[in-house]
Amino acid sequence: MAKKSASQKAPAKKPLTAKKPATKKPVFMKKATPQEAPASKKPVVAKTKPAAATPALKKTELAPVMKPVFEESVPKPAAPVVSAPTPKLVMKTGAGGATSLTISAQTSAGAAANGNTHPANILALVSSGGWPVTELTKDHFTLMEYFEVPGQQAPFSNNITSFRNVGTGAYLLQVKPINGAPWRTGHHLAQILVSSSDDRQGQCAAKLIIR
């Protein structure tokens, strides 16, 4: 076979141009966190600062309260206590301002009985403000009988046959029916009125029982 001509020879290879080395991008390494750290490495223990001692709580300082200042009055010396003498009871006298009399009475038939004319007894006590009245006489007493007992012929009104002032505010009176009439059995009701010379007055009721 005839040899291929030079023109038919395989195309000449292009000369290889030197390739530029590829520029590598810088790789930024991430800091390994404790979680990302490789197992082979010892775990990084974060050093913790010791907690500072908690300062003692200071007492809250209150602002001083300004109080108004008052001048204290100097106490006056107490007046000496003078014991007053015990006042004596002075009885008021005279019309309009007189102290009333207190009268109480008790009765007893004594010797008086149905059909006779013996006197019956009356004890009268007279006082004023708690003090006995001792200066009365028979004329200061008025005696009135009411509600006549059946069969009684006459009352014993103002028929005081005996009078005695004991001197202690007690007065002893004896009474009997007027006109010499005899007593009759029953309850004889009476009113005793007393009026002193200085216009003091009092009264009470009394019941005399005749059997």
PDB file of all heavy atoms in Angstrom, residues 120-141:
ATOM      1  N   ALA A 120    -109.371  55.320 172.272  1.00  0.00           N
ATOM      2  CA  ALA A 120    -108.458  54.493 171.476  1.00  0.00           C
ATOM      3  C   ALA A 120    -107.145  55.248 171.278  1.00  0.00           C
ATOM      4  O   ALA A 120    -107.077  56.482 171.438  1.00  0.00           O
ATOM      5  CB  ALA A 120    -109.093  54.157 170.133  1.00  0.00           C
ATOM      6  N   ASN A 121    -106.080  54.519 170.961  1.00  0.00           N
ATOM      7  CA  ASN A 121    -104.727  55.108 170.880  1.00  0.00           C
ATOM      8  C   ASN A 121    -104.270  55.299 169.432  1.00  0.00           C
ATOM      9  O   ASN A 121    -104.504  54.441 168.579  1.00  0.00           O
ATOM     10  CB  ASN A 121    -103.739  54.207 171.613  1.00  0.00           C
ATOM     11  CG  ASN A 121    -104.131  53.973 173.061  1.00  0.00           C
ATOM     12  OD1 ASN A 121    -104.620  54.875 173.753  1.00  0.00           O
ATOM     13  ND2 ASN A 121    -103.931  52.735 173.532  1.00  0.00           N
ATOM     14  N   ILE A 122    -103.575  56.435 169.200  1.00  0.00           N
ATOM     15  CA  ILE A 122    -102.954  56.722 167.899  1.00  0.00           C
ATOM     16  C   ILE A 122    -101.524  57.207 168.157  1.00  0.00           C
ATOM     17  O   ILE A 122    -101.309  58.146 168.939  1.00  0.00           O
ATOM     18  CB  ILE A 122    -103.731  57.794 167.110  1.00  0.00           C
ATOM     19  CG1 ILE A 122    -105.149  57.313 166.809  1.00  0.00           C
ATOM     20  CG2 ILE A 122    -102.997  58.129 165.813  1.00  0.00           C
ATOM     21  CD1 ILE A 122    -106.002  58.357 166.096  1.00  0.00           C
ATOM     22  N   LEU A 123    -100.538  56.558 167.497  1.00  0.00           N
ATOM     23  CA  LEU A 123     -99.139  56.989 167.550  1.00  0.00           C
ATOM     24  C   LEU A 123     -98.805  57.670 166.231  1.00  0.00           C
ATOM     25  O   LEU A 123     -98.871  57.043 165.167  1.00  0.00           O
ATOM     26  CB  LEU A 123     -98.202  55.796 167.776  1.00  0.00           C
ATOM     27  CG  LEU A 123     -96.697  56.058 167.608  1.00  0.00           C
ATOM     28  CD1 LEU A 123     -96.208  57.074 168.648  1.00  0.00           C
ATOM     29  CD2 LEU A 123     -95.901  54.760 167.718  1.00  0.00           C
ATOM     30  N   ALA A 124     -98.442  58.958 166.283  1.00  0.00           N
ATOM     31  CA  ALA A 124     -98.099  59.732 165.080  1.00  0.00           C
ATOM     32  C   ALA A 124     -96.618  60.093 165.126  1.00  0.00           C
ATOM     33  O   ALA A 124     -96.125  60.590 166.150  1.00  0.00           O
ATOM     34  CB  ALA A 124     -98.954  60.986 164.994  1.00  0.00           C
ATOM     35  N   LEU A 125     -95.916  59.849 164.028  1.00  0.00           N
ATOM     36  CA  LEU A 125     -94.499  60.211 163.883  1.00  0.00           C
ATOM     37  C   LEU A 125     -94.397  61.335 162.862  1.00  0.00           C
ATOM     38  O   LEU A 125     -94.899  61.204 161.744  1.00  0.00           O
ATOM     39  CB  LEU A 125     -93.684  59.008 163.433  1.00  0.00           C
ATOM     40  CG  LEU A 125     -93.714  57.778 164.357  1.00  0.00           C
ATOM     41  CD1 LEU A 125     -92.881  56.659 163.751  1.00  0.00           C
ATOM     42  CD2 LEU A 125     -93.241  58.132 165.752  1.00  0.00           C
ATOM     43  N   VAL A 126     -93.742  62.431 163.253  1.00  0.00           N
ATOM     44  CA  VAL A 126     -93.631  63.620 162.395  1.00  0.00           C
ATOM     45  C   VAL A 126     -92.154  63.909 162.166  1.00  0.00           C
ATOM     46  O   VAL A 126     -91.373  64.000 163.130  1.00  0.00           O
ATOM     47  CB  VAL A 126     -94.328  64.836 163.024  1.00  0.00           C
ATOM     48  CG1 VAL A 126     -94.282  66.020 162.066  1.00  0.00           C
ATOM     49  CG2 VAL A 126     -95.768  64.489 163.393  1.00  0.00           C
ATOM     50  N   SER A 127     -91.776  64.078 160.889  1.00  0.00           N
ATOM     51  CA  SER A 127     -90.389  64.410 160.551  1.00  0.00           C
ATOM     52  C   SER A 127     -90.392  65.347 159.352  1.00  0.00           C
ATOM     53  O   SER A 127     -91.401  65.499 158.652  1.00  0.00           O
ATOM     54  CB  SER A 127     -89.578  63.148 160.234  1.00  0.00           C
ATOM     55  OG  SER A 127     -90.128  62.480 159.114  1.00  0.00           O
ATOM     56  N   SER A 128     -89.220  65.954 159.100  1.00  0.00           N
ATOM     57  CA  SER A 128     -89.058  66.856 157.958  1.00  0.00           C
ATOM     58  C   SER A 128     -87.636  66.684 157.427  1.00  0.00           C
ATOM     59  O   SER A 128     -86.671  66.960 158.140  1.00  0.00           O
ATOM     60  CB  SER A 128     -89.306  68.310 158.366  1.00  0.00           C
ATOM     61  OG  SER A 128     -89.132  69.170 157.263  1.00  0.00           O
ATOM     62  N   GLY A 129     -87.513  66.185 156.183  1.00  0.00           N
ATOM     63  CA  GLY A 129     -86.191  65.928 155.620  1.00  0.00           C
ATOM     64  C   GLY A 129     -85.431  64.875 156.395  1.00  0.00           C
ATOM     65  O   GLY A 129     -84.200  64.883 156.405  1.00  0.00           O
ATOM     66  N   GLY A 130     -86.137  63.976 157.059  1.00  0.00           N
ATOM     67  CA  GLY A 130     -85.492  62.933 157.846  1.00  0.00           C
ATOM     68  C   GLY A 130     -85.221  63.317 159.281  1.00  0.00           C
ATOM     69  O   GLY A 130     -84.830  62.474 160.089  1.00  0.00           O
ATOM     70  N   TRP A 131     -85.425  64.588 159.600  1.00  0.00           N
ATOM     71  CA  TRP A 131     -85.186  65.062 160.957  1.00  0.00           C
ATOM     72  C   TRP A 131     -86.504  65.111 161.718  1.00  0.00           C
ATOM     73  O   TRP A 131     -87.516  65.551 161.185  1.00  0.00           O
ATOM     74  CB  TRP A 131     -84.555  66.453 160.941  1.00  0.00           C
ATOM     75  CG  TRP A 131     -83.171  66.445 160.342  1.00  0.00           C
ATOM     76  CD1 TRP A 131     -82.860  66.546 159.035  1.00  0.00           C
ATOM     77  CD2 TRP A 131     -81.958  66.335 161.055  1.00  0.00           C
ATOM     78  NE1 TRP A 131     -81.516  66.512 158.843  1.00  0.00           N
ATOM     79  CE2 TRP A 131     -80.917  66.382 160.086  1.00  0.00           C
ATOM     80  CE3 TRP A 131     -81.612  66.205 162.400  1.00  0.00           C
ATOM     81  CZ2 TRP A 131     -79.573  66.293 160.438  1.00  0.00           C
ATOM     82  CZ3 TRP A 131     -80.266  66.122 162.738  1.00  0.00           C
ATOM     83  CH2 TRP A 131     -79.276  66.160 161.763  1.00  0.00           C
ATOM     84  N   PRO A 132     -86.508  64.668 162.975  1.00  0.00           N
ATOM     85  CA  PRO A 132     -87.758  64.692 163.757  1.00  0.00           C
ATOM     86  C   PRO A 132     -88.196  66.119 164.055  1.00  0.00           C
ATOM     87  O   PRO A 132     -87.382  67.009 164.277  1.00  0.00           O
ATOM     88  CB  PRO A 132     -87.392  63.934 165.040  1.00  0.00           C
ATOM     89  CG  PRO A 132     -85.912  64.082 165.158  1.00  0.00           C
ATOM     90  CD  PRO A 132     -85.373  64.112 163.764  1.00  0.00           C
ATOM     91  N   VAL A 133     -89.493  66.299 164.000  1.00  0.00           N
ATOM     92  CA  VAL A 133     -90.087  67.593 164.352  1.00  0.00           C
ATOM     93  C   VAL A 133     -90.647  67.447 165.766  1.00  0.00           C
ATOM     94  O   VAL A 133     -91.527  66.632 166.018  1.00  0.00           O
ATOM     95  CB  VAL A 133     -91.200  67.967 163.355  1.00  0.00           C
ATOM     96  CG1 VAL A 133     -91.844  69.297 163.758  1.00  0.00           C
ATOM     97  CG2 VAL A 133     -90.632  68.040 161.932  1.00  0.00           C
ATOM     98  N   THR A 134     -90.119  68.247 166.668  1.00  0.00           N
ATOM     99  CA  THR A 134     -90.414  68.032 168.103  1.00  0.00           C
ATOM    100  C   THR A 134     -91.191  69.173 168.760  1.00  0.00           C
ATOM    101  O   THR A 134     -91.503  69.074 169.952  1.00  0.00           O
ATOM    102  CB  THR A 134     -89.095  67.833 168.870  1.00  0.00           C
ATOM    103  OG1 THR A 134     -88.272  69.000 168.716  1.00  0.00           O
ATOM    104  CG2 THR A 134     -88.331  66.624 168.341  1.00  0.00           C
ATOM    105  N   GLU A 135     -91.499  70.240 168.023  1.00  0.00           N
ATOM    106  CA  GLU A 135     -92.084  71.417 168.667  1.00  0.00           C
ATOM    107  C   GLU A 135     -93.593  71.540 168.478  1.00  0.00           C
ATOM    108  O   GLU A 135     -94.164  72.624 168.693  1.00  0.00           O
ATOM    109  CB  GLU A 135     -91.408  72.694 168.145  1.00  0.00           C
ATOM    110  CG  GLU A 135     -91.725  73.064 166.682  1.00  0.00           C
ATOM    111  CD  GLU A 135     -90.902  72.312 165.665  1.00  0.00           C
ATOM    112  OE1 GLU A 135     -90.125  71.427 166.066  1.00  0.00           O
ATOM    113  OE2 GLU A 135     -91.032  72.626 164.466  1.00  0.00           O
ATOM    114  N   LEU A 136     -94.270  70.477 168.093  1.00  0.00           N
ATOM    115  CA  LEU A 136     -95.704  70.553 167.808  1.00  0.00           C
ATOM    116  C   LEU A 136     -96.536  70.410 169.077  1.00  0.00           C
ATOM    117  O   LEU A 136     -96.120  69.804 170.062  1.00  0.00           O
ATOM    118  CB  LEU A 136     -96.094  69.461 166.810  1.00  0.00           C
ATOM    119  CG  LEU A 136     -95.359  69.485 165.460  1.00  0.00           C
ATOM    120  CD1 LEU A 136     -95.816  68.328 164.591  1.00  0.00           C
ATOM    121  CD2 LEU A 136     -95.543  70.813 164.748  1.00  0.00           C
ATOM    122  N   THR A 137     -97.731  70.985 168.990  1.00  0.00           N
ATOM    123  CA  THR A 137     -98.695  70.882 170.094  1.00  0.00           C
ATOM    124  C   THR A 137     -99.997  70.282 169.573  1.00  0.00           C
ATOM    125  O   THR A 137    -100.123  69.987 168.370  1.00  0.00           O
ATOM    126  CB  THR A 137     -98.974  72.263 170.702  1.00  0.00           C
ATOM    127  OG1 THR A 137     -99.597  73.084 169.720  1.00  0.00           O
ATOM    128  CG2 THR A 137     -97.690  72.935 171.188  1.00  0.00           C
ATOM    129  N   LYS A 138    -100.953  70.129 170.462  1.00  0.00           N
ATOM    130  CA  LYS A 138    -102.250  69.556 170.080  1.00  0.00           C
ATOM    131  C   LYS A 138    -102.937  70.388 169.004  1.00  0.00           C
ATOM    132  O   LYS A 138    -103.615  69.849 168.117  1.00  0.00           O
ATOM    133  CB  LYS A 138    -103.140  69.451 171.317  1.00  0.00           C
ATOM    134  CG  LYS A 138    -104.525  68.919 171.056  1.00  0.00           C
ATOM    135  CD  LYS A 138    -105.342  68.896 172.345  1.00  0.00           C
ATOM    136  CE  LYS A 138    -106.780  68.464 172.087  1.00  0.00           C
ATOM    137  NZ  LYS A 138    -107.589  68.448 173.348  1.00  0.00           N
ATOM    138  N   ASP A 139    -102.725  71.698 169.037  1.00  0.00           N
ATOM    139  CA  ASP A 139    -103.393  72.577 168.063  1.00  0.00           C
ATOM    140  C   ASP A 139    -102.868  72.386 166.639  1.00  0.00           C
ATOM    141  O   ASP A 139    -103.504  72.859 165.686  1.00  0.00           O
ATOM    142  CB  ASP A 139    -103.219  74.034 168.485  1.00  0.00           C
ATOM    143  CG  ASP A 139    -103.909  74.343 169.807  1.00  0.00           C
ATOM    144  OD1 ASP A 139    -104.876  73.609 170.144  1.00  0.00           O
ATOM    145  OD2 ASP A 139    -103.478  75.287 170.499  1.00  0.00           O
ATOM    146  N   HIS A 140    -101.705  71.771 166.472  1.00  0.00           N
ATOM    147  CA  HIS A 140    -101.143  71.548 165.133  1.00  0.00           C
ATOM    148  C   HIS A 140    -101.723  70.298 164.461  1.00  0.00           C
ATOM    149  O   HIS A 140    -101.393  70.030 163.293  1.00  0.00           O
ATOM    150  CB  HIS A 140     -99.616  71.425 165.216  1.00  0.00           C
ATOM    151  CG  HIS A 140     -98.934  72.674 165.692  1.00  0.00           C
ATOM    152  ND1 HIS A 140     -98.103  72.720 166.787  1.00  0.00           N
ATOM    153  CD2 HIS A 140     -98.978  73.961 165.233  1.00  0.00           C
ATOM    154  CE1 HIS A 140     -97.646  73.939 166.971  1.00  0.00           C
ATOM    155  NE2 HIS A 140     -98.180  74.722 166.031  1.00  0.00           N
ATOM    156  N   PHE A 141    -102.562  69.529 165.165  1.00  0.00           N
ATOM    157  CA  PHE A 141    -103.104  68.295 164.624  1.00  0.00           C
ATOM    158  C   PHE A 141    -104.600  68.464 164.308  1.00  0.00           C
ATOM    159  O   PHE A 141    -105.337  69.060 165.091  1.00  0.00           O
ATOM    160  CB  PHE A 141    -102.931  67.138 165.623  1.00  0.00           C
ATOM    161  CG  PHE A 141    -101.504  66.644 165.724  1.00  0.00           C
ATOM    162  CD1 PHE A 141    -100.575  67.341 166.491  1.00  0.00           C
ATOM    163  CD2 PHE A 141    -101.109  65.491 165.065  1.00  0.00           C
ATOM    164  CE1 PHE A 141     -99.272  66.887 166.591  1.00  0.00           C
ATOM    165  CE2 PHE A 141     -99.810  65.045 165.169  1.00  0.00           C
ATOM    166  CZ  PHE A 141     -98.883  65.737 165.924  1.00  0.00           C
TER     167      PHE A 141
END
